Amino acid sequence: MRAEQPLPHHRLPPDSLAELALGEGGPGTVDLLLGSERSRRLLLLRMLDETTDLGPAWDLLSEAQRRSPATVDDVLLYPQTGMWLATALRRLRGTTAHQDEAPLWVVLGHISALAAASALRAELDFTIDVPVRHGRVPLPTLGCAELPVTAPWTTATVRAEAGHAVVEAAGATVVVPPAPGAPGPGWHPLRRLVVGPADHRLEVALDDVDPYRTYSQPTEPRPLPTATSAQWRRVLERAWEVLLREQPGTAEAMRRGVLSISPTPARERFRPRSATSGDAFGGIEASEPDDPVQLAATLVHEFQHTKLGGLLHLAPLLAGETDDSGELFYAPWRDDPRPLAGMLQGVYAFMGITGFWRAHRLTAGDRAAVAHFEFALWRAQTARALDQVRGHPRSTALGAALLATLRERCAPWLKEPVPDEQAAPARLCAADHAARWRCHHLRPPAQAVAETLRAWLAGEDGPPASLAAPPEVVPDPSARWLDSLAMLVRHRLGSTDDGRSWAEAPEKAAARVTGALPADVLLTDALLTGGDATAASRAYPAHLAMEPQRPSTWAGLGRALALTKTAPAAARLLCRYPERARAVHEALLHATGTPPDPIALATWLGRDA
């Protein structure tokens, strides 16, 4: 490698910073971020070379660079290369958060696979040993050879001469096709998807073979069936049409900054999983989408993370290297409390999501109801998150300016008209998620709960004033599926029937959404039809009687009581401070062995709330 040449200093000009502060960033800005990522990768590679002996791999990589610098740059800038570099250095330092099952020598030996791939693409003659992972030999950016090897970790030899390349181990040989993108016996090529018109074409790798394609923990190569990869191509083609039509500026930047998609199996409807890593600029891990619109939204979401990750490699947005203050916040898109750095990432990503639905709702046709709901929900949730972190003392000048700019951009979105049929459910779903989060993660002072317990047992008129003291954030690892009400609304809005089956068979409808209760279905039905929520207000106490340790039930009960306009004190308490009811209810159950009537308790607690 050309280590003797000094690396350039990278700075973003004011116009690029202004673009990124808005949540945008054109192709030129993305190119600047890519240039800084190249320098960062070279620095990490040099750090690795100084820490351990890279031996023949370093020499071969250097030779490939002399022959074809652009080829080595392509391999170096591949997202999974960045993920491997970070993983290897963390393994050496003992600071990795997730333990890779591969031995350290296999992780470090991946440099040989990178060198082999670079040399093959540079058309060099060479011989080098590379790691074998459970019978598979991944060659980054090219593909993966499969050999009849029984040992989980061993080595194979890659040979190339006069344009003919093979991978050999255990007496078996796999020929690498002259065009590595073509399949062959024992060879799984790295598929490349090319979609869109010639002047606006997106080219990405559909990576199912690189062990560092999943973030943040490596996984073994799992080549996709041909039919599945074909489905990905079809959905990506249509998703790209959506982005070109509705967000052409973002799409043009994606052409430079989205380099690979790592597919994972489909998940529950409306609950896709996607991820990026600051170490893997341009890489997106994504579950198989429900439809092209969902994939388009996922690409926007993760591209936001990609841009912010690139910016963070150039300039800090928060003071201090780590978010170790212990301060935690409510993130409306998560089940768990988040540190400040996580809030910053989420705000930036969901500004992109909000902008996507803002544009898409105008062209969504018969799916406009879902799009209006998504826009109304995420503009409110993003604004709420921005209000929590704006002006935070840990923000640098750049961080404060970015958050202020995002808030200014979001503010007029809150005033844009949305049909009440979707705006009202969005408001209630936002409030419901916050209440469920409070139930799980906020704890009133223990002394106040004890005083309240005594007051209830003594028959006093109301709870002591101490119960109104600020609660403590205590992360509850059992918190899951706090978005169940929003998921049920999405199912209803996206359904072609009139929803009668929901009210008639709430247990069956609840089974469609993990974490949902039949009472949640009844509440959703009342919310969307303007019907009576009495059935829901009766169902929630029944659920509490069966599962008193299910915190989210308190939030649903509060929402149902608010809709029925019965027990207003209980509704007010449960919508605002459901954690108080949960804590006192649990204390009474523990002390007496008999749970109190939840509505009566909430009414008593809510007299002065």
Side-chain angles (χ1 to χ4, degrees), residues 111-176:
I111 182 66
S112 298
L114 287 165
S118 299
L120 279 172
R121 294 180 58 181
E123 300 180 345
L124 295 175
D125 292 345
F126 66 93
T127 299
I128 194 170
D129 290 336
V130 298
V132 180
R133 309 174 64 105
H134 295 281
R136 291 191 170 105
V137 180
L139 298 180
T141 74
L142 294 178
C144 176
E146 190 162 5
L147 294 160
V149 174
T150 57
W153 317 108
T154 184
T155 60
T157 301
V158 182
R159 305 181 193 277
E161 184 176 359
H164 178 74
V166 297
V167 183
E168 301 172 328
T173 299
V174 171
V175 176
V176 180

Side-chain angles (χ1 to χ4, degrees), residues 254-278:
M254 282 184 184
R255 294 180 63 207
R256 296 290 300 136
V258 175
L259 307 177
S260 75
I261 298 175
S262 302
T264 59
R267 290 164 57 92
E268 185 175 300
R269 189 183 179 202
F270 294 117
R271 275 183 172 148
R273 181 192 177 276
S274 60
T276 53
S277 169

Side-chain angles (χ1 to χ4, degrees), residues 534-561:
T534 301
S537 68
R538 293 171 179 167
Y540 281 115
H543 287 313
L544 274 171
M546 292 184 294
E547 292 185 83
Q549 302 301 320
R550 189 161 184 161
S552 294
T553 311
W554 290 103
L557 176 59
R559 206 63 50 198
L561 292 175

Side-chain angles (χ1 to χ4, degrees), residues 173-245:
T173 299
V174 171
V175 176
V176 180
W187 177 255
H188 302 283
L190 176 67
R191 295 180 175 92
R192 297 197 175 267
L193 306 184
V194 181
V195 298
D199 53 342
H200 297 291
R201 184 167 290 161
L202 176 69
E203 300 183 26
V204 298
L206 187 67
D207 196 337
D208 52 358
V209 292
D210 194 297
Y212 298 96
R213 71 193 182 280
T214 49
Y215 316 129
S216 59
Q217 188 170 2
T219 54
E220 298 311 312
R222 294 188 181 93
L224 290 176
T226 301
T228 303
S229 64
Q231 172 65 8
W232 269 97
R233 184 183 298 276
R234 287 191 293 270
V235 176
L236 181 62
E237 179 81 55
R238 294 174 60 195
W240 190 240
E241 291 173 1
V242 171
L243 292 173
L244 286 176
R245 180 178 65 248

Side-chain angles (χ1 to χ4, degrees), residues 1-4 41-62 84-85 88-89 92-93 108 111:
M1 302 290 289
R2 296 176 181 173
E4 69 281 359
R41 302 272 175 94
L42 287 170
L43 285 170
L44 292 177
L45 195 58
R46 171 53 71 186
M47 290 170 61
L48 190 62
D49 182 52
E50 291 174 349
T51 305
T52 186
D53 181 15
L54 299 182
W58 183 268
D59 297 336
L60 183 58
L61 200 58
S62 298
W84 164 72
L85 277 166
L89 287 167
L92 284 168
R93 296 168 180 169
L108 297 178
I111 182 66

